[in-house]
């Protein structure tokens, strides 16, 4: 069995139309403001991660050994929309201090590690290539021996068109558990593209919309079918290979 492959142990993919929670009209509800990342996106991503861990047969005790890599591309923009709405309304005196914490993409990684008790290396990747890069980076953590298993998770939630927009938009979340062995397919040959012209020299501009969950969905479908054929995942200029189980 090849030692440069991180095997897929479990997957989960969810898509639910969700709306950005509105700013309270009654100031008696303050100072606790509704924060989209804390109150909507975070719980959704956590549920997806738990589903992937269950699919991989990882117990809460075993989860302590796992590393964590998350990816997003503007998934936390919902918080910036909240900031803009509040500043345009009551004023900065009503701006919840924790909104700045939940504006950071690393808040997603921190929440998963804290809620699930993950004690391994924790990394956050951003940008349109984040989905492919998170899977590739996690695979490298395993094949290098840094972690025995890694939870890889991502969220994609299109930003609202403007302050006060209450239109539900699809909140896509996905998670994959990678490990060193198993009969299922695996991840290998990560080729990061990044977003810098010097890194992506000679490559066409990617046509994807920055949905970091899209590569996870392709991986989950491919894994569920136990496809005998390998495929290549692409996103934001990065790519990696999925190889079928049993590849020597």
């Amino acid at each position: 069995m090849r030692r440069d492959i991180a095997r897929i142990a479990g997957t989960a993919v969810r898509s639910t139309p969700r709306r950005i929670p509105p700013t309270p009209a009654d100031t008696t509800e303050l100072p606790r403001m509704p924060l989209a990342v804390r109150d909507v996106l975070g719980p959704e991503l956590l549920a997806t991660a738990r589903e992937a861990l269950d699919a991989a047969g990882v117990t809460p005790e075993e989860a302590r050994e796992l590393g964590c890599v998350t990816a997003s591309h503007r998934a936390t923009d919902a918080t910036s929309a909240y900031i803009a709405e509040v500043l345009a309304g009551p004023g900065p005196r009503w701006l919840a201090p924790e909104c700045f914490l939940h504006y950071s993409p690393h808040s997603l990684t921190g929440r998963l590690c804290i809620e699930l008790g993950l004690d391994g290396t924790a990394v956050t990747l951003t940008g349109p290539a984040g989905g492919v890069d998170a899977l590739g980076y996690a695979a490298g953590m395993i094949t290098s021996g840094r972690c025995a298993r890694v939870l890889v998770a991502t969220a994609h939630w299109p930003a609202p068109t403007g302050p006060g927009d209450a239109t539900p938009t699809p909140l896509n979340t996905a998670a994959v558990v990678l490990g060193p062995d198993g009969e299922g397919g695996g991840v290998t040959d990560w080729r990061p593209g990044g977003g810098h012209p010097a890194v992506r020299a000679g490559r066409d501009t990617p046509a994807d919309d920055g949905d970091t969950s899209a590569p996870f969905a392709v991986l989950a479908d491919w894994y569920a079918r136990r496809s005998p054929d390998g495929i290549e995942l692409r996103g934001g200029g990065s790519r990696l290979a999925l190889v079928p189980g049993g590849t020597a």
Side-chain angles (χ1 to χ4, degrees), residues 36-46 75-76 108 155 157 171 173:
V37 173
R38 179 192 63 198
D39 301 331
V40 180
L41 190 156
E44 192 79 16
L45 183 62
L46 183 61
T76 57
L108 304 177
W157 200 10
L171 171 53
T173 56

Side-chain angles (χ1 to χ4, degrees), residues 113-214:
C113 290
I114 293 170
E115 296 278 357
L116 300 173
L118 312 181
D119 282 342
T121 303
V123 179
T124 304
L125 300 177
T126 61
V132 172
D133 287 343
L135 291 165
Y137 191 92
M141 292 168 67
I142 292 167
T143 57
S144 67
R146 196 186 325 172
C147 290
R149 286 183 290 190
V150 178
L151 170 68
V152 199
T154 188
H156 180 72
W157 200 10
T161 57
D165 182 9
T167 304
T169 55
L171 171 53
N172 300 332
T173 56
V176 174
V177 177
L178 298 179
D181 47 43
E183 296 301 321
V187 176
T188 189
D189 196 24
W190 173 41
R191 300 183 185 183
H196 195 283
V199 177
R200 290 175 37 220
R203 296 187 183 179
D204 295 332
T205 301
D208 60 78
D209 64 354
D211 183 352
T212 53
S213 71

